[in-house]
DNA sequence: CTGAAAGCGCTAACAA
DNA sequence: TTGTTAGCGCTTTCAG
């Protein structure tokens, strides 16, 4: 007993214990087909007593069906992604599908590897962040023969379906509001991540719309690593020392924006009178700060939900819309003047 | 072509395309056994051209080996858990094992379900948060015949192996420091989560150590839902209105502690002179706040790493220590006096 | 170094 | 309502 090699229980064990054929046991355990109440009882009883756990590997191989949805995201520590995941889980919960998460750390090669790894388990669908992937990755997704939804961005060409906001448009929108409020000397602070395409697109849209208003970004600063809040503080200090005449700071995310806000408040600077601020994301996390940072919500939960719905529909053999643009709303918070000064 | 039903490529397709037996193709693709360079070339070439992705389901069924490790945690939005995951991934990365995450939302029944679901994929090991599980869950883990590591807590009896800190001891330790610094009227603020056993144990240890010093918790308050930062602010305000004579506030996590800190600073209260504060966790996220909150680090990354190492060792057939207690360090920050006042 | 045969544990399809 | 038969796509084992 003690030294016995471990062997999982099989249908056969349950079959023998209950005196019912393997096939019928299988039917009971899956709630498929008609089985008499008496037989069902016997089977359930035996399965429970033995502590039988079905082997999905064998099941999947035999049925050619896997109830898994591959979800591939850049990071878990960004807060953004857990929320997307929440939306996905919420919808998948009552479809019999299950999300399985893979993380890429914003590295295309890792994304490719993770994708390959996940596809080798033959999931029923893929939800993947962004529209930028290696050629090999795109090829894999195209030839996998399963629904693929790219989320959180729609500025580009999806492999199959896409759900998300236009970051370019988001950048433009914020720029317009800033100009409208009368700010003129604008600084930008962001992450040093050439591979964060969404941040890049926001920045592009932002500068483009400023340009249309005859304004250009006056100073900019990028960071990498470390605590975002602390970095926001430092960068803001550096930038204002260098360019004391700035009247607006646009941050590529709310965390560094919050750091900047705390710094300015420390310094006794009038926000948004003397300097206005805006971030991006709508992070609920920050709700308790002394002022609410102006921001724009990226529709994370909704993205997750809609993407999951597309997958679920397609898996069920239904048609589903394949391009959904969500519209982020600006939240002026307390750090962006609302009218021309 | 267009209406063709999708069928994944198989070893057989590669075999035919390369003119090499399926068996040899399999060997090449897994780097197993000796294969001549020429054959290898042909196979690799064919596989690449076809875009073959191996079917791990079939592979796992045939080999009775699955390179997956089930990781079961209460939540992804808690920040704590992504860090643990980081530690796990870091170690598993070079072992050929892959973490697969399941989330329980702190609900025992959901934990049981998630566990069942994951075990049905026959993973090579389980890493699960906490020591409290339903009887059924414990039974499943015991009879799965794979290594199981319970993490983030060691106050209890593990099913198999355990890695983590003693939350009871952590609570005691903080209480002692608070008393030592001379605080006497102490309030506690936490989450209303009867199922967060670790927070509960910290609280128990805390009150116990205070009692030894002849002090008891003077006031307490619990919250649920909402932004932790904002809640910390509100709760602190409420509590101080109710009990203005408090001289120390102990929070069950850093986020609400930070909210409290911001509130006190707003009010112009002298921290830590008039009121001292402490939280729990050592959240790097908060580094940019005006003051550093006193806290205690929960060794999250280390827990993940050690747990993964135990799994990896056991999977490799090696012995591995099965109870590892990590020791959290107090960080006094700027909100806890260091000597008797 | 390469190949053929036998199954992994389950389910689809059909038969009784 | 229940049982039988034949695989699913791969790897193990053993034979060349």
């Amino acid at each position: 007993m003690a030294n016995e090699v471990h062997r999982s229980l099989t249908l056969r064990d349950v079959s023998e214990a209950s005196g019912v054929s393997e096939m019928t046991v299988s039917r009971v355990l899956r709630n498929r087909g008609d089985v008499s109440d008496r037989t069902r009882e016997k089977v359930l009883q035996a399965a429970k007593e033995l502590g039988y756990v079905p082997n999905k590997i064998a099941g999947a191989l035999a049925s050619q069906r896997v109830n898994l949805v591959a979800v591939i995201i850049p990071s878990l520590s960004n807060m953004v992604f857990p929320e997307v995941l929440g939306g996905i889980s919420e919808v998948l919960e009552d479809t019999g599908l299950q999300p399985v998460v893979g993380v890429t750390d914003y590295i295309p090669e890792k994304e490719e590897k993770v994708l390959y790894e996940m596809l080798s388990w033959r999931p029923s669908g893929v939800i993947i962040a962004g529209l930028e992937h290696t050629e090999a990755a795109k090829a894999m997704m195209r030839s996998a023969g399963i629904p693929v939804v790219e989320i959180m961005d729609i500025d580009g060409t999806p492999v199959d379906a896409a759900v998300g906001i236009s970051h370019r448009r988001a950048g433009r929108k914020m720029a317009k509001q800033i100009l409208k409020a009368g700010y003129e000397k604008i600084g930008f602070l962001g992450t040093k991540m050439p591979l964060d395409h969404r941040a890049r697109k926001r920045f592009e849209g932002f500068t483009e719309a400023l340009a249309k208003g005859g304004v250009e970004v006056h100073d900019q600063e990028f960071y990498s690593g470390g605590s975002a809040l602390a970095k926001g503080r430092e960068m803001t200090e550096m930038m204002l020392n260098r360019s004391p005449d700035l009247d607006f700071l646009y941050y590529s995310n709310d965390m560094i924006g919050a750091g900047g806000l705390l710094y300015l408040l420390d310094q006794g600077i009038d926000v948004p009178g003397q300097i206005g601020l805006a971030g991006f994301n709508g992070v609920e996390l920050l709700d308790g700060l002394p002022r609410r940072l102006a921001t724009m919500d990226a529709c994370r939960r909704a993205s997750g939900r809609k993407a999951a719905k597309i997958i679920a529909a397609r898996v069920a053999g239904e048609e589903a819309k394949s391009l959904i643009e969500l519209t982020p709303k600006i939240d002026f918070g307390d750090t962006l003047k609302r009218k021309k000064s």
Side-chain angles (χ1 to χ4, degrees), chain A residues 150-155 162-167 169-170 173 296-307 310 321 323-329:
Chain A
E150 288 165 279
I151 56 172
M152 318 203 60
D153 188 4
I154 55 152
D155 294 323
V163 177
I165 68 168
S166 161
H167 287 264
R169 211 190 303 282
K173 198 164 174 177
M296 195 175 246
D297 115 82
C299 310
R300 293 151 308 209
R301 210 176 169 91
S303 296
R305 267 200 301 258
K306 302 239 176 207
I310 293 179
K321 214 170 162 206
L323 194 87
I324 302 183
E325 173 167 359
L326 270 22
T327 309
K329 280 190 300 280

Side-chain angles (χ1 to χ4, degrees), chain A residues 301-322:
Chain A
R301 210 176 169 91
S303 296
R305 267 200 301 258
K306 302 239 176 207
K309 276 193 184 145
I310 293 179
I311 297 283
R314 293 272 203 87
V315 166
E318 299 158 21
E319 290 291 320
K321 214 170 162 206
S322 69

Side-chain angles (χ1 to χ4, degrees), chain A residues 20 34 40 106 119 166 182 185 196 200 254 279 286 307 339:
Chain A
V20 175
D34 296 321
R40 176 185 311 283
Y106 289 98
L119 287 181
S166 161
K185 288 272 191 196
D196 185 344
R200 193 202 73 222
D254 280 0
L286 295 173
K339 21 189 146 179

Side-chain angles (χ1 to χ4, degrees), chain A residues 68-71 97 115 119 123-128 140-150 159-162 307-318 320-322:
Chain A
L68 264 23
V69 175
V71 178
L97 292 169
L115 183 63
L119 287 181
S124 291
V126 174
I127 297 177
I128 187 168
M140 278 190 257
M141 292 193 274
R142 268 192 298 265
S143 59
I146 53 178
V148 174
V149 183
E150 288 165 279
V159 163
D160 177 3
K309 276 193 184 145
I310 293 179
I311 297 283
R314 293 272 203 87
V315 166
E318 299 158 21
K321 214 170 162 206
S322 69

Side-chain angles (χ1 to χ4, degrees), chain A residues 56-72:
Chain A
K56 288 218 181 193
I57 298 176
L61 183 61
S63 66
Q64 307 281 69
R65 267 180 288 104
V66 178
N67 69 337
L68 264 23
V69 175
V71 178
I72 300 177

Side-chain angles (χ1 to χ4, degrees), chain A residues 211-231:
Chain A
K212 259 191 202 146
V215 172
E216 60 182 33
V217 170
H218 223 257
D219 193 357
Q220 53 192 67
E221 180 79 36
F222 300 88
Y223 81 102
S224 64
S227 155
L229 212 56
K231 286 292 177 180

Side-chain angles (χ1 to χ4, degrees), chain A residues 178-179 182-186 215-216 218 247-248 340:
Chain A
I178 292 169
L179 292 178
Y183 296 105
E184 291 177 324
K185 288 272 191 196
I186 297 165
V215 172
E216 60 182 33
H218 223 257
D247 65 2
F248 199 93
K340 212 162 168 73

